[in-house]
């Protein structure tokens, strides 16, 4: 599905933030469930199967997801950073041909439902489900006691079909892979591992698109501007998994939807003392001749990571840093020009 088709789909999909928002006249649903963090290519394969199943059964495709992420409820101190926030997750899900996305508020009380109680409350009574589309590793209900066999038994009991989707596997180019041809199941965990080592190229391969952060542009220390490289600094409440410290080529997308080529810095610049970790993007070849027309402050922007250029290095003073920044910008410009062309 192209970008225009996805945009149209997002504009028509229904978003329900609870079972009480499901319309009485919605009809029968074909359903899949999951956390869908990242909405990666494995998730996309399930969503494609869901839409096909809905078409074959005369039902409407619905994705059921949870907010907050269950890990943040059960183990808040060790829960992983999310690849994307709930609003971005909904928007991504909506772009794959769904009729609706149901977001269930996840609490310890909700998690206490037995597998049968969950299926009866959500699938049978809530969504009048005709088919459930899941992977082999599906788990649900109290203590994740429900598995694929449980789902199939409950399907026979309550009259819905269970469609099983084979896992989506990709070649793993990571440093821990001994076999160059090794295949690995696409997962949110794999995306995080790639981002944590700065391998945004592998992360994009798993996601099917560049990894993206969203945040509000705020004023920083203005060091970049003083050095001739003004940056858009994302606030510390920005949403999305932060890649490893380093310099990246990527894109900044402003509120108007304009995509600007950018050199992105992640980390605390070691050349200067007392700088906290941050994400900042320098728009390449920005229209500085009319700065009043290029004011990003206060805007909520997206920052897309395309390629890591280097790690963070401490330079002997601003002059050496400026020379390296010129090299970084030139390299980023070449990489992005190739992609744009």
């Amino acid at each position: 599905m192209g970008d225009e088709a996805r945009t149209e789909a997002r504009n028509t999909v229904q978003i329900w933030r609870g079972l009480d928002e499901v319309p009485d006249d919605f009809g029968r649903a074909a359903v899949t469930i999951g956390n869908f963090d990242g909405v990666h290519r494995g998730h996309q394969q399930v969503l494609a199967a869901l839409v096909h199943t809905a078409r074959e059964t005369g039902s409407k495709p619905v994705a059921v997801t949870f907010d907050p992420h269950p890990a943040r409820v059960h183990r808040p101190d060790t829960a992983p950073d999310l690849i994307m926030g709930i609003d971005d997750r909904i928007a991504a899900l909506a772009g794959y041909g769904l009729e609706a996305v149901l977001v269930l508020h996840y609490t310890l009380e909700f998690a206490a439902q037995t597998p049968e109680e969950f299926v009866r409350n959500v699938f049978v009574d809530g969504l009048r489900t005709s088919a459930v589309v899941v992977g082999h590793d599906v788990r649900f209900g109290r203590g994740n006691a429900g598995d694929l066999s449980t789902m199939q038994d409950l399907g026979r009991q309550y009259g819905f079909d269970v469609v099983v989707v084979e896992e989506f596997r990709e070649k793993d180019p990571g440093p821990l892979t001994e076999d160059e041809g090794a295949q690995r199941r696409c997962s949110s965990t794999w995306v995080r591992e790639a981002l944590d080592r700065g391998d945004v190229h592998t992360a994009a391969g798993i996601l099917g698109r560049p990894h993206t952060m969203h945040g509000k542009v705020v004023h920083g220390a203005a060091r970049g501007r003083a050095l001739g490289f003004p940056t858009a600094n994302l606030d510390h409440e920005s949403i999305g998994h932060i890649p490893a410290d380093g310099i990246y080529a990527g894109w900044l997308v402003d509120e108007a939807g304009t995509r600007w080529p950018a050199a992105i810095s992640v980390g605390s610049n070691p050349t200067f003392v007392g700088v906290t970790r941050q994400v900042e993007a320098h728009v390449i070849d920005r229209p500085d001749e009319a700065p009043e027309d290029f004011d990003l402050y206060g805007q909520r922007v997206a920052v897309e990571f395309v390629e890591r250029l280097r790690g963070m290095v401490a330079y002997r003073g601003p002059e050496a840093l400026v020379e390296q920044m010129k090299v970084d910008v030139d390299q980023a410009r070449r990489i992005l020009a190739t992609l744009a062309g």
Side-chain angles (χ1 to χ4, degrees), residues 18-153:
L19 285 167
D20 58 335
E21 295 187 7
V22 179
D24 292 336
D25 60 353
F26 182 71
R28 300 278 280 175
V31 180
T32 189
I33 59 169
N35 295 317
F36 297 111
D37 188 23
V39 192
H40 54 64
R41 294 177 71 187
H43 296 143
Q44 293 163 29
Q45 180 164 284
V46 172
L47 295 170
L50 172 66
V51 171
H52 175 78
T53 299
R55 188 179 302 118
E56 292 291 308
T57 59
S59 307
K60 297 179 179 180
V62 178
V64 178
T65 191
F66 309 99
D67 184 46
H69 191 291
R72 296 200 162 189
V73 174
H74 293 289
R75 45 187 181 90
D77 294 336
T78 59
D81 291 337
L82 297 181
I83 299 167
M84 57 172 43
I86 182 61
D87 291 337
D88 296 324
R89 193 192 330 163
I90 292 171
L93 287 169
Y96 287 95
L98 304 181
E99 290 277 346
V101 177
L102 170 61
V103 183
L104 296 175
H105 183 53
Y106 195 90
T107 64
L108 291 176
E109 181 181 5
F110 178 89
Q113 296 177 96
T114 66
E116 182 173 358
E117 287 171 337
F118 173 82
V119 164
R120 188 174 62 246
N121 291 336
V122 178
F123 293 165
V124 180
D125 296 338
L127 293 170
R128 298 176 289 282
T129 299
S130 62
V132 175
V133 179
V134 292
H136 286 275
D137 61 346
V138 63
R139 306 299 299 223
F140 61 101
R142 184 167 57 220
N144 277 335
D147 58 12
L148 178 58
S149 177
T150 312
M151 186 72 78
Q152 291 169 329
D153 289 342

Side-chain angles (χ1 to χ4, degrees), residues 162-217:
V162 177
V163 177
V164 183
V165 181
E166 296 299 320
E167 60 188 19
F168 189 90
R169 304 182 73 85
E170 275 282 280
K171 181 179 178 181
D172 184 359
L176 301 181
T177 304
E178 296 180 1
D179 182 356
E180 290 185 359
Q183 297 282 314
R184 181 173 176 180
R185 181 178 70 89
C186 287
S187 67
S188 303
T189 298
W190 188 9
V191 174
R192 295 187 193 100
E193 289 175 2
L195 294 175
D196 285 343
R197 63 175 183 264
D199 188 356
V200 295
H201 181 77
T202 291
I206 306 165
L207 292 168
R209 63 187 182 282
H211 173 59
T212 304
M213 291 187 64
H214 293 82
K216 184 178 179 180
V217 177

Side-chain angles (χ1 to χ4, degrees), residues 194-203 211 213 241-252 261-267 277-284 303-312 325 328-329 331-333 335-336:
L195 294 175
D196 285 343
R197 63 175 183 264
D199 188 356
V200 295
H201 181 77
T202 291
H211 173 59
M213 291 187 64
H241 193 97
I242 303 176
D245 288 4
I247 307 299
Y248 298 82
W251 304 93
L252 182 146
I264 307 161
S265 171
V266 177
R277 192 166 190 255
Q278 57 191 19
V279 177
E280 49 188 323
H282 167 70
V283 171
I284 299 172
V303 174
E304 301 177 1
F305 296 85
V306 172
E307 197 73 51
R308 192 174 194 234
L309 306 181
R310 63 176 175 85
M312 278 292 183
M325 292 168 72
D328 295 336
V329 168
Q331 186 178 358
R333 182 188 290 111
I335 290 172
L336 298 172

